[in-house]
Amino acid sequence: MGSVRVERTDDGFVARNDRGAEIAMGSGDGLFSPVELLLAAVGGCNLVTVETLTDQRGHRLVRLAVDVSAEKESPTLLKSVTVAYDVELPSEESREVFEAVAERVHERHCTVSRSLARGTEVKLVLGE
């Protein structure tokens, strides 16, 4: 489906995909931490899909954003991730469409959220 390469650089770490995009990460100012990138992936997956599906139904939302937060179970394990929508709807009819679409996306369409909820296996391959 996809892959990225993450490398240490002189300034921290960078992730690159094969389409030429890159994002710096680390713990310093102006950088996303790996957990923040995970939360961004959850939010991005939900928004991109909700936007596409509401648009297809003729309901372009005036504002569409999410705040994504996580609660830790322990220092190295997340307990839960919360996706809170911030929307401005063009009409009351759009509310019904948005809510139905957002629920469907959460339950069936967002690969990132569904993978977290299911507990996707992460395999480790040690290089030479």
Side-chain angles (χ1 to χ4, degrees):
M1 171 169 183
S3 65
V4 297
R5 180 174 176 90
V6 180
E7 294 180 288
R8 185 188 67 225
T9 67
D10 292 338
D11 300 323
F13 300 88
V14 66
R16 292 185 182 93
N17 67 19
D18 57 3
R19 294 180 312 282
E22 64 180 49
I23 188 163
M25 70 179 91
S27 58
D29 291 339
L31 298 173
F32 279 98
S33 74
V35 172
E36 290 167 333
L37 289 173
L38 177 71
L39 299 179
V42 169
C45 184
N46 278 274
L47 282 185
V48 167
T49 311
V50 166
E51 171 77 0
T52 300
L53 295 177
T54 54
D55 243 10
Q56 286 174 355
R57 286 156 180 77
H59 295 270
R60 173 93 173 143
L61 305 178
V62 177
R63 182 181 63 251
L64 177 59
V66 290
D67 292 307
V68 186
S69 58
E71 182 182 344
K72 281 197 167 188
E73 183 173 304
S74 68
T76 60
L77 183 64
L78 297 180
K79 179 178 181 178
S80 64
V81 173
T82 301
V83 178
Y85 278 88
D86 176 17
V87 296
E88 183 179 339
L89 305 164
S91 67
E92 194 53 40
E93 179 187 355
S94 294
R95 175 170 299 286
E96 290 179 24
V97 172
F98 160 70
E99 289 178 356
V101 166
E103 288 288 337
R104 218 171 18 261
V105 166
H106 175 72
E107 293 170 5
R108 290 183 263 179
H109 297 293
C110 177
T111 302
V112 178
S113 293
R114 293 187 71 234
S115 295
L116 286 176
R118 182 178 172 178
T120 300
E121 177 184 8
V122 177
K123 299 176 183 178
L124 180 65
V125 177
L126 300 175
E128 298 178 42

